[in-house]
Amino acid sequence: MNAPRTERAKVIVRGAVQGVGFRPFVYRRATELHLRGWVLNSAQGVVIDVEGAGDTLREFLLQLEKEKPPRAVIQSFECSFLEASGYERFEIRESHDDGGKSVLILPDIAACPDCVAEIFDPGNRRHRYPFTNCTNCGPRFSIIESLPYDRANTSMRKFAMCPECDREYHDPLDRRFHAQPNACPHCGPQLELWDANGAVLSHRDEALLKAAQSIREGRILALKGVGGFQLIVDAGSEPAVMRLRARKRREEKPFALMAPSLALLREDCEVSGPEERLLLSPESPIVLLRRNVKGKRLRISLLVAPGNPYLGVMLPYSPLHHLLLAELGFPVVATSGNLSDEPICIDQDEALERLRGIADFFLVHDRPVVRHMDDSIARVVCGCEQVLRRARGYAPLPVHLKTPLPTILAVGAHVKTSVALSAGADIFISQHIGDLETGAAHAAFRQTAADLPRLYDAAPKAVACDMHPDYLTTRFAAGHPAPSHPVQHHFAHVLACMAENELEPPVLGVAWDGAGFGTDGTVWGGEFLLANGGGFDRVGHLRQFRLPGGDAAVKEPRRSALGVLFEIFGDELWDRDEWLGAFSKQEALLFKQMLEKKINAPLTSSAGRLFDAVAALIGLRQRASFEGQAAMELEFAIDPDVAGAYPFAIRDGVPRVIDWQPMILEMMHDVLRCADIRFISTRFHNTLAEMIVAMARETGEHRIVLTGGCFQNRYLTERAVERLIESGFRPHWHQRIPPNDGGIALGQIIAAASAIRGKIP
Ligand code: ZN
Ligand code: ZN
Ligand code: FE
């Protein structure tokens, strides 16, 4: 065995961690474990930069939260694994003012243990009060209308504190000293239960108890939570889950769950140390966990996540959720309160309108939600946390850079949109907005793009956007008074990954996703981009093929398969009926014309569409109900015991072309001999990892970033990372920023900033 590889973690801890003995505690733990690095207080919070053997490092990180000094309260804990620095000892560094003095708005924080204890204590004046909070926890970003963060600038303004709350608020020794959303049953927000038409059925605790009863009876409850509405049903009730799917028009996409407790959750899912940390963290995201299939009767309907070995689960995070789940004692589906891909509703009257026909009852309250905030999604990949959807608990925390940037607004791409704003050395990233497919989503986008600069009182000097001329976000940028800076989609992915990993060029970026507008006007998506400081060189890409029907291929993997086969066999394809089984005669004729005449059949180098093609070729899926479904199913078919990969070729040129033809041919041979799908799928994934290693060798660049939606595929990411390390490279991947288009805005800002700097020396 080799000596364990040195890894480095950088952690920013926010909350009551300054002046409570936190730094000496960190120092003691780190030195006991022979870790090296430093800790300091900064305007950001307590920053810990520490390196050592991977396992020890991970153990240290878990201990930090579990064994912290009694007076320390952690409100946010952000950790990234970075390239090792070669520290020689551990030290407490002088606090420094790094010039990045921007106003920090905290995300919404899960109820702290003290507040949870109070709501379950019959002797406490906040017993069963669902809006209990304190200085250490409660709503923040979702209630702030403007800065500074004072009650008068929040949606709590309309509730005058009673004498008792007022006393707590003004007592420096009280846990609620200057807790802006402080409230109690006498003076704060209250619950109401409405029927489907908005008629009030009951108030306060009775509303909660009746809502719980309706869930027990298999009804669909719309619950106004922290950042908007959730739809809740009994996760164990097949008919209830089925009804929710039908009414929400969501056929197969997995639903998120909320479990009453970690103990109950363990009966259904496997939970590792880092996963437990995430579940119990102040951010309290939905965590993707492997289903436990040890033969016991599952208390969660298979319809929650059909065919999926993972479940997305969170624990109760607001006092309202704690009370409701304690009352129920079983897991519930807790999905965004919207119709398919629209943004979640925040206002009860709006909810009544938009969720009409979906929800049977509405459990609402009178604390206005200022901005929508979905539940975040995170998981553990390569032993590190990774945020896949950044919203409640994370937004609007910044990515902090070493040097200040000009003030730039970035508007993202088209799907999984978020916007970002640079102010000084911080890049603030908005909450997840969603896919800009509906009027409601457009409105949410415009609102967020206006909201961020207004909150931080910043006038953008430029607006960074995607290069795609038809994106709504691009048109928004063009209409903005500040000059716009279009940034190539995959370059933005690469820069985002570099920024969060604190990497400087040169870096080889592997940017694989569904689609992005290329500088040559074709659809890119299987890119190898060398970030060279000034911009990028497209040093390689996957071989192109034509997509019959263009965007329509996203929902029909069989079209990608046809494009791939046509690229290989040309006109011969139309005589080979064995490969045209997924199409009717008329369809085959139509697509034949598209491909031969090159009409509505754009060229693409997309890795995402290659996944689709393979899924269709091996008979796994011909049509998808959401983008990425076929790729997910390919991933679920992985058998880690299968070794080996398919052949492929790299064709020289500028850029190099990675030719998948040898792989597809051998795969077709495997299909004809009826090889196990698990065998084919695993070898396909392994081949993709080998392609990445081969291209890394070709370019000779030591540091590689893996970015783009395809790297939401855990096996692909872990396999590529492992093979790159074995081959002497240093791979990096996304941790705090999503690998999908939710990370695009960050990269756009970095690109626009360097363009502006280039112009104004
Ligand atoms: Zn609290
Ligand atoms: Zn009160
Ligand atoms: Fe993308």
Side-chain angles (χ1 to χ4, degrees):
M1 277 292 286
N2 296 331
R5 199 166 63 94
T6 297
E7 293 184 62
R8 169 180 161 225
K10 187 164 182 180
V11 190
I12 303 170
V13 189
R14 297 178 179 93
V17 284
Q18 292 165 317
V20 291
F22 197 72
R23 282 178 305 164
F25 158 73
V26 170
Y27 176 84
R28 272 195 310 276
R29 277 288 179 276
T31 45
E32 276 164 18
L33 293 167
H34 306 290
L35 297 169
R36 305 167 301 279
W38 48 264
V39 54
L40 65 72
N41 274 335
S42 83
Q44 291 268 300
V46 170
V47 183
I48 307 164
D49 196 327
V50 58
E51 64 185 34
D55 289 348
T56 321
L57 203 52
R58 285 180 176 80
E59 183 52 38
F60 166 76
L61 293 172
L62 291 178
Q63 280 184 11
L64 277 188
E65 274 182 292
K66 281 192 176 158
E67 294 163 28
K68 63 183 185 326
R71 280 169 58 229
V73 181
I74 295 175
Q75 295 175 335
S76 156
F77 185 96
E78 283 197 297
C79 172
S80 315
F81 279 76
L82 304 172
E83 195 155 291
S85 262
Y87 296 123
E88 288 178 351
R89 59 178 184 283
F90 197 89
E91 58 188 346
I92 298 181
R93 286 199 179 163
E94 285 300 310
S95 302
H96 74 130
D97 183 359
D98 50 8
K101 244 197 197 152
S102 42
V103 196
L104 206 61
I105 300 177
L106 277 177
D108 301 297
I109 307 156
C112 72
D114 290 337
C115 285
V116 174
E118 285 180 2
I119 60 172
F120 288 109
D121 172 7
N124 193 283
R125 70 187 196 96
R126 288 189 173 83
H127 180 229
R128 298 193 65 78
Y129 182 57
F131 304 96
T132 301
N133 65 82
C134 73
T135 334
N136 302 325
C137 75
R140 297 288 186 272
F141 193 38
S142 66
I143 58 164
I144 294 176
E145 289 166 353
S146 60
L147 292 175
Y149 174 49
D150 285 325
R151 191 176 177 101
N153 292 332
T154 71
S155 64
M156 283 300 288
R157 178 182 49 234
K158 68 177 206 175
F159 302 95
M161 275 186 278
C162 68
E164 198 136 355
C165 286
D166 195 64
R167 188 196 54 73
E168 294 166 339
Y169 183 89
H170 287 104
D171 176 3
L173 299 177
D174 195 278
R175 202 171 92 242
R176 297 193 164 91
F177 180 53
H178 279 248
Q180 304 305 341
N182 189 22
C184 79
H186 301 293
C187 64
Q190 298 294 350
L191 290 177
E192 279 181 0
L193 184 70
W194 295 359
D195 71 10
N197 294 314
V200 181
L201 299 174
S202 43
H203 300 269
R204 303 195 172 207
D205 204 34
E206 195 197 332
L208 184 122
L209 296 175
K210 283 196 170 158
Q213 185 54 29
S214 75
I215 295 169
R216 272 187 222 108
E217 288 164 3
R219 306 302 192 88
I220 300 174
L221 178 75
L223 172 136
K224 184 179 176 188
V226 173
F229 276 80
Q230 292 169 321
L231 290 166
I232 296 190
V233 296
D234 177 353
S237 162
E238 208 106 306
V241 178
M242 208 139 58
R243 195 150 6 115
L244 180 60
R245 285 213 175 274
R247 291 193 190 170
K248 210 173 127 89
R249 285 186 238 149
R250 183 153 152 157
E251 293 155 15
E252 295 164 296
K253 210 170 175 180
F255 281 139
L257 296 163
M258 186 177 275
S261 67
L262 188 60
L264 273 170
L265 173 53
R266 282 188 195 280
E267 292 183 15
D268 285 304
C269 297
E270 294 167 16
V271 185
S272 70
E275 286 163 346
E276 178 180 330
R277 194 211 79 77
L278 266 173
L279 285 164
L280 297 170
S281 69
E283 291 85 358
S284 190
I286 296 164
V287 184
L288 300 186
L289 301 170
R290 197 166 260 284
R291 281 184 101 123
N292 195 341
V293 281
K294 282 182 207 138
K296 67 175 68 165
R297 202 183 80 83
L298 295 174
R299 63 171 71 237
I300 293 168
S301 159
L302 289 168
L303 293 176
V304 167
N308 196 323
Y310 294 91
L311 288 174
V313 196
M314 57 192 149
L315 290 175
Y317 53 84
S318 76
L320 175 56
H321 289 109
H322 277 283
L323 291 167
L324 184 66
L325 271 287
E327 190 57 36
L328 293 172
F330 55 78
V332 293
V333 166
T335 181
S336 322
N338 58 9
L339 193 64
S340 346
D341 296 323
E342 290 192 345
I344 52 170
C345 302
I346 58 175
D347 177 83
Q348 47 257 44
D349 296 317
E350 176 203 359
L352 205 55
E353 213 39 62
R354 280 175 54 201
L355 301 180
R356 189 178 290 278
I358 301 180
D360 299 312
F361 295 96
F362 292 79
L363 184 59
V364 302
H365 58 76
D366 51 351
R367 184 179 79 205
V369 175
V370 173
R371 57 185 66 73
H372 76 91
M373 206 70 57
D374 284 271
D375 292 314
S376 295
I377 305 177
R379 61 146 175 215
V380 174
V381 62
C382 303
C384 306
E385 292 169 13
Q386 180 176 59
V387 176
L388 295 171
R389 179 163 85 191
R390 213 178 138 91
R392 179 185 51 75
Y394 298 96
L397 288 179
V399 167
H400 190 71
L401 305 178
K402 290 200 181 85
T403 48
L405 298 182
T407 304
I408 298 168
L409 176 70
V411 292
H414 182 70
V415 295
K416 296 190 163 71
T417 314
S418 65
V419 305
L421 175 79
S422 53
D426 287 318
I427 300 180
F428 297 97
I429 300 159
S430 82
Q431 73 277 29
H432 162 88
I433 301 166
D435 300 353
L436 303 185
E437 297 286 349
T438 60
H442 292 182
F445 161 71
R446 285 201 195 87
Q447 201 178 352
T448 312
D451 183 38
L452 220 49
R454 189 187 55 77
L455 262 183
Y456 291 98
D457 194 22
K461 297 202 166 36
V463 181
C465 60
D466 199 272
M467 240 175 210
H468 199 302
D470 300 331
Y471 283 172
L472 176 99
T473 50
T474 310
R475 280 187 248 137
F476 172 90
H480 196 278
S484 62
H485 279 271
V487 180
Q488 202 281 322
H489 186 92
H490 302 95
F491 186 44
H493 272 306
V494 173
L495 289 174
C497 196
M498 286 169 62
E500 70 156 308
N501 284 293
E502 301 184 1
L503 298 176
E504 297 292 331
V507 169
L508 176 64
V510 184
W512 285 7
D513 63 4
F517 195 82
T519 54
D520 60 0
T522 68
V523 183
W524 292 10
E527 310 309 309
F528 292 85
L529 306 181
L530 186 67
N532 54 25
F536 69 91
D537 293 316
R538 190 189 192 201
V539 293
H541 61 79
L542 294 176
R543 180 175 170 187
Q544 293 173 303
F545 58 95
R546 288 192 182 274
L547 274 181
D551 286 343
V554 168
K555 292 278 178 85
E556 289 187 36
R558 60 183 192 149
R559 295 192 190 218
S560 291
L562 198 67
V564 161
L565 293 176
F566 183 73
E567 176 66 19
I568 297 178
F569 298 110
D571 288 340
E572 259 180 60
L573 171 64
W574 313 113
D575 304 327
R576 303 182 66 152
D577 286 344
E578 72 269 32
W579 296 112
L580 300 173
F583 302 91
S584 69
K585 278 269 183 300
Q586 294 96 308
E587 283 173 334
L589 201 65
L590 175 71
F591 294 141
K592 179 181 174 199
Q593 281 174 348
M594 284 182 179
L595 287 166
E596 285 180 345
K597 297 190 176 141
K598 303 179 177 132
I599 298 166
N600 193 18
L603 276 175
T604 184
S605 52
S606 166
R609 297 293 83 81
L610 186 62
F611 265 93
D612 285 351
V614 167
L617 279 175
I618 68 177
L620 197 56
R621 176 165 289 279
Q622 307 298 340
R623 294 168 194 268
S625 64
F626 56 93
E627 178 166 18
Q629 187 180 20
M632 275 171 57
E633 286 173 351
L634 268 177
E635 183 187 358
F636 300 157
I638 293 275
D639 175 356
D641 293 334
V642 172
Y646 289 114
F648 63 92
I650 294 184
R651 287 198 248 119
D652 273 341
V654 184
R656 293 175 185 82
V657 173
I658 297 91
D659 189 357
W660 32 255
Q661 180 167 325
M663 169 182 80
I664 298 288
L665 291 177
E666 197 169 313
M667 200 180 277
M668 289 167 78
H669 184 74
D670 279 343
V671 173
L672 290 178
R673 70 173 181 90
C674 298
D676 191 336
I677 278 184
R678 286 176 299 180
F679 174 84
I680 303 180
S681 174
T682 312
R683 298 195 105 194
F684 167 60
H685 281 83
N686 292 352
T687 313
L688 296 176
E690 293 314 309
M691 288 173 175
I692 292 169
V693 172
M695 274 302 295
R697 289 209 177 98
E698 289 276 329
T699 53
E701 196 44 63
H702 196 53
R703 291 175 311 172
I704 321 284
V705 297
L706 305 174
T707 182
C710 291
F711 292 100
Q712 295 175 103
N713 182 317
R714 180 174 170 174
Y715 182 84
L716 177 65
T717 307
E718 292 185 339
R719 177 85 185 182
V721 163
E722 182 190 319
R723 289 287 300 120
L724 284 165
I725 291 173
E726 281 171 10
S727 311
F729 296 95
R730 290 216 180 159
H732 297 269
W733 59 92
H734 286 280
Q735 297 170 67
R736 294 163 56 199
I737 303 301
N740 57 48
D741 286 4
I744 286 281
L746 169 63
Q748 287 175 339
I749 285 193
I750 310 273
S754 66
I756 290 173
R757 282 207 188 105
K759 277 177 201 153
I760 313 164

